[in-house]
């Protein structure tokens, strides 16, 4: 326990002191009095307020500190009864003994730390992968949309020289059964005359069948089949003309009609998507 005692110094008999300079277990100090006269009347039984008079006045419950300042001061006590928690249950057995070097068990402790860190990292990565997978799966197409991702078309229902329109993925799909004259005409087109040069054989798998999306490449309108200056498709919105291969020949459209992915399982069936 720490105690602080304030006193007036060795010149206390010649100064006017305060009523009490030290509180707590110290006794009340007798102030020194300065008397004007030829003689200084002092009570020999009263101790002076000096270094010697304070000797033995400090509390004996613990170390005490006194300072020589001329003024009042309070007494401050240090709490030395605070109990420090014991963390022995959380420490490794190899480092409990303070007299034993911990370097001998350093490798084993590092191995354990690396093992715990690695296991935590693996679990964190697996959890992150699961969260990301579920998040991406939630944005994928639903079952009803996936069911419409492919469409099977019977080619025998489309007469020669005609075009039929189907709905695929929310878009119109044009399937055209071309005649021999249309096939020869489109195959002989000079590519230098085309805005979007593309040979007819690069747009069809079977020359008799042209399969394109019925969406104008200008502003997304739906063209009219078997119309226009080239006998293919005509968009009445802004006057875009396409030939029988779906290539832009006249008007503001910048590109040819899009050809989706398709395949022929047999001669009379086509699967788009």
């Amino acid at each position: 326990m720490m105690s602080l005692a304030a006193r007036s110094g060795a010149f206390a008999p010649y100064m006017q002191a305060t009523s009490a300079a030290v509180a707590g277990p110290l006794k009340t100090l007798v102030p020194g009095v300065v008397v004007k006269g030829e003689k200084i009347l002092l009570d020999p039984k009263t101790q002076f307020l000096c270094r010697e008079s304070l000797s033995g006045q400090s509390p004996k419950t613990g170390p005490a500190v006194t300072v020589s300042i001329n003024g009042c001061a309070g007494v401050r006590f240090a709490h030395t009864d605070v109990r420090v928690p014991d963390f022995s249950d959380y420490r490794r057995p190899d480092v409990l003994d303070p007299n034993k070097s911990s370097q001998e068990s350093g490798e084993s402790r590092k191995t354990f730390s690396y093992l715990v860190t690695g296991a935590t990292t693996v679990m964190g990565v697996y959890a992150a992968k699961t969260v990301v997978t579920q998040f991406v799966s939630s944005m994928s197409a639903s079952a009803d949309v996936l069911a419409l991702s492919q469409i099977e078309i019977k080619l025998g229902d489309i007469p020669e020289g005609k075009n039929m329109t189907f709905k695929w993925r929310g878009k119109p799909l044009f399937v055209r059964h071309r005649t021999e004259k249309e096939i020869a005409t489109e195959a002989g087109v000079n590519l230098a005359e085309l805005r979007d040069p593309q040979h007819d054989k690069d747009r069809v798998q079977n020359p008799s069948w042209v399969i394109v999306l019925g969406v104008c490449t200008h502003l997304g309108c739906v063209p009219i089949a078997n119309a226009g200056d080239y006998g293919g498709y005509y968009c009445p919105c802004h006057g875009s003309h396409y030939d029988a291969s779906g290539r832009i020949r006249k008007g503001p459209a910048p590109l040819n009609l899009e050809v989706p992915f398709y395949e022929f399982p047999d001669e009379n069936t086509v699967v788009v998507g």
Side-chain angles (χ1 to χ4, degrees):
M1 183 177 297
M2 301 292 293
S3 300
L4 176 63
R7 56 194 181 184
S8 301
F11 299 97
Y14 307 100
M15 298 177 61
Q16 184 177 358
T18 56
S19 59
V22 180
L26 299 180
K27 297 180 181 179
T28 305
L29 302 179
V30 179
V33 180
V34 179
V35 181
K36 296 182 179 180
E38 298 179 355
K39 297 183 180 180
I40 299 178
L41 300 179
L42 298 177
D43 187 358
K45 297 182 180 181
T46 303
Q47 296 183 353
F48 294 119
L49 183 62
C50 60
R51 189 185 308 273
E52 289 74 14
S53 63
L54 288 177
S55 177
Q57 299 287 341
S58 60
K60 301 301 183 181
T61 56
V65 177
T66 60
V67 293
S68 298
I69 57 176
N70 297 326
C72 299
V75 179
R76 298 294 183 263
F77 299 97
H79 296 281
T80 57
D81 57 343
V82 178
R83 298 181 60 185
V84 179
D86 186 11
F87 297 98
S88 300
D89 295 338
Y90 302 95
R91 301 177 64 185
R92 294 186 175 92
D94 298 334
V95 295
L96 287 177
D97 189 1
N99 299 321
K100 181 180 178 181
S101 175
S102 61
Q103 295 182 356
E104 300 177 357
S105 60
E107 296 297 331
S108 61
R109 289 185 285 110
K110 289 180 181 179
T111 303
F112 178 78
S113 300
Y114 294 154
L115 180 62
V116 172
T117 303
T120 305
T121 303
V122 172
M123 293 177 61
V125 171
Y126 180 78
K129 177 252 184 185
T130 303
V131 172
V132 172
T133 302
Q134 293 180 353
F135 178 74
V136 174
S137 300
S138 65
M139 296 189 298
S140 60
S142 58
D144 55 345
V145 175
L146 293 176
L148 298 176
S149 61
Q150 290 185 340
I151 182 174
E152 183 176 323
I153 301 173
K154 298 297 182 181
L155 300 178
D157 299 335
I158 305 175
E160 186 178 4
K162 298 296 182 180
N163 181 91
M164 291 190 67
T165 304
F166 302 88
K167 184 178 180 181
W168 177 69
R169 295 184 180 178
K171 300 178 182 179
L173 178 69
F174 293 161
V175 179
R176 185 185 188 94
H177 190 179
R178 297 192 299 184
T179 63
E180 293 295 334
K181 181 180 179 181
E182 291 175 336
I183 295 174
T185 300
E186 303 306 331
V189 173
N190 184 8
L191 298 182
E193 301 176 358
L194 301 178
R195 180 178 304 170
D196 185 11
Q198 195 172 18
H199 200 277
D200 180 67
K201 65 180 181 180
D202 296 331
R203 295 179 55 83
V204 297
Q205 297 183 21
N206 187 337
S208 299
W209 300 99
V210 173
I211 302 176
V212 293
L213 293 181
V215 179
C216 181
T217 58
H218 180 218
L219 293 177
C221 303
V222 179
I224 301 174
N226 297 323
D229 296 345
Y230 298 90
Y233 306 94
Y234 171 69
C235 182
C237 297
H238 301 90
S240 296
H241 298 258
Y242 300 88
D243 58 19
S245 184
R247 296 173 295 188
I248 182 63
R249 303 294 295 274
K250 183 180 178 182
L255 302 173
N256 303 329
L257 294 179
E258 182 182 353
V259 178
F261 174 80
Y262 64 91
E263 56 184 358
F264 295 95
D266 53 60
E267 295 181 356
N268 297 321
T269 307
V270 62
V271 177
V272 182

